[in-house]
Amino acid sequence: MESLPVKRDLSRALLDVFIRAGLIAALAVICYEVFHPFLGLMLWAVILAITFYPLHGRLQQRLGLKSGHAATFIVLVTLLILMVPIYLLAVSITESVSAGLVLFESGAWHIPPANPDVQSWPLIGPQLFTLWQQGATDATSLMQQVVPHLKGIGMVVLGKLAGVGTGFLMFIGALILSGIVMAYGDSGQRNAVRIATRISGLDRGPQIAQLCTATIRAVAQGVVGIAFVQMVLVGVGFVVMGIPGAGLLALLVLLLGIMQLPVLLITLPVVGFVFFTEGATVGSVVFAVYSVLAGMADNVLKPLLLGRGVNVPMPVILIGALGGMVAGGIIGLFIGPVILAVGYMLFWQWVDDAPGGEQVARVEID
């Protein structure tokens, strides 16, 4: 009979635990639903704030500025620097789309006759020759066959272009928010260490916070930053040379740079197009040399900005960029590599913390 009150007390304690856990879970879900629309924006703002925070500290020391003034200065200068390439990119995209619509509606475009050598290409040669010849002789009939298939692709492309514009606006908003985060950077740094310590303990908490900070800075500067620099360098050359669709090509340079693919995939065909249309002039040669060097600038910048004590394999960055773009559009393209790199480093930090985790075991399979 004495065990009955004990069981009742145990049941009440267990019920209290379940009720509290349910209430906490419900509160967490509600908070997530409220914060979810701003999640990408705030992640981007925090990443920018962490990336710019060393510069923020140097400005405070050298110019004697207050924390808020230094953050405002960084945001304003960054906006002024970004406005020019963003404006040129928007103008180029608008002009390219408008020119394409005008040319399509006027009917002035034409397809040159097919090259007979195309027939000798393996697998696709005969079919491609027939399709090409049909377009050269009866473009209207060809368009009637192709347009239904291109309609869906066109809607996807227009949706992506709209997403790019939204992404730029989100980036400007995140940059402004990052200034607010930087202004309270000291307290934010302390709180990050407190949270990491609460999760991982007093010994490993500060190390994990430092690891996350170093990874975010390395990837943001060494991947996203270099890709943006390449986009500006290559895009300026395209605009000066008057390349059709220079803005779209510059945007492709940015995407390839973030996905860790060679930018020469864009610059070399453009150089070939310039030589084909204008010949081997002095301007063409200068443009070719400049474009190739700008496309290879990452080979010089990556050792300087990427991997300062952080070893993130390139496949992790590529998967993060592709997965982020699929999941979150243009915003996910920037955030994905950073988040996946942080997760990758934390995972291996957890593996190495295990007893004997730093020792490599070699197993031979007969």
Side-chain angles (χ1 to χ4, degrees), residues 260-320:
Q260 300 298 292
L261 298 176
V263 177
L264 294 177
L265 294 174
I266 301 294
T267 57
L268 290 181
V270 173
V271 169
F273 169 78
V274 171
F275 274 103
F276 180 78
T277 55
E278 300 189 9
T281 62
V282 176
S284 301
V285 174
V286 172
F287 171 76
V289 174
Y290 173 82
S291 298
V292 172
L293 292 178
M296 299 175 62
D298 58 329
N299 296 323
V300 178
L301 295 175
K302 279 180 181 178
L304 299 176
L305 298 177
L306 183 61
R308 296 178 178 177
V310 176
N311 185 20
V312 181
M314 287 302 105
V316 175
I317 304 299
L318 176 61
I319 294 173

Side-chain angles (χ1 to χ4, degrees), residues 71 75 175-185:
V75 171
L175 183 61
I176 296 173
L177 288 176
S178 70
I180 300 175
V181 176
M182 281 187 288
Y184 297 94

